[in-house]
Amino acid sequence: YDSYGYPIFSLNGISEILQIWGETSIHQYYRNNFAFGREIETQQVDMLPGEEAFAQLQEQDGINIEFVEDFTLGYKMEKSSEEPLIRIEPGWFYKYKGQWVELNVMN
């Protein structure tokens, strides 16, 4: 979670934390070592209200709403292989059958 309480998702695993448990405690812990301190470019984004975004999710083909476990505002983290910058963009995300998916919102 970021400092505002919203989760950060990534498709390539750069935001993941790996825990390896022993019998009663964590034996090993791995995470990426990012330092977020300098903003290169910022842009204000107007997000679709949650009720409207969820209504769009309900209308999507192939989605059985009974399998939607969670729905939240969050951030998508991406890193290009060509440059050292990390891009973070807001979006709506839902947990479907145990997997987090970004909602493709239609404005």
Side-chain angles (χ1 to χ4, degrees):
Y1 284 82
D2 72 348
S3 60
Y4 298 106
Y6 297 110
I8 298 175
F9 301 95
S10 66
L11 296 177
N12 57 6
I14 61 174
S15 68
E16 290 183 18
I17 296 173
L18 174 64
Q19 301 173 356
I20 300 173
W21 283 79
E23 288 185 34
T24 58
S25 63
I26 293 178
H27 177 68
Q28 293 178 333
Y29 175 84
Y30 299 98
R31 68 174 178 82
N32 285 310
N33 192 12
F34 295 119
F36 295 104
R38 193 174 73 156
E39 293 181 13
I40 302 299
E41 177 184 318
T42 60
Q43 177 180 349
Q44 184 168 338
V45 176
D46 292 326
M47 298 297 296
L48 194 64
E51 295 84 8
E52 292 178 36
F54 192 74
Q56 286 188 18
L57 173 63
Q58 291 174 308
E59 295 171 8
Q60 284 192 358
D61 289 337
I63 295 289
N64 182 340
I65 206 67
E66 293 179 18
F67 294 116
V68 174
E69 302 167 36
D70 202 351
F71 185 78
T72 186
L73 185 63
Y75 292 100
K76 175 175 60 176
M77 179 187 291
E78 297 177 316
K79 182 175 183 318
S80 169
S81 60
E82 291 87 42
E83 55 186 49
L85 301 177
I86 295 172
R87 185 177 189 90
I88 298 175
E89 296 182 355
W92 286 105
F93 298 85
Y94 61 98
K95 191 173 186 181
Y96 190 74
K97 296 182 179 179
Q99 298 290 324
W100 282 102
V101 181
E102 183 177 13
L103 176 65
N104 293 321
V105 176
M106 305 294 192
N107 288 328

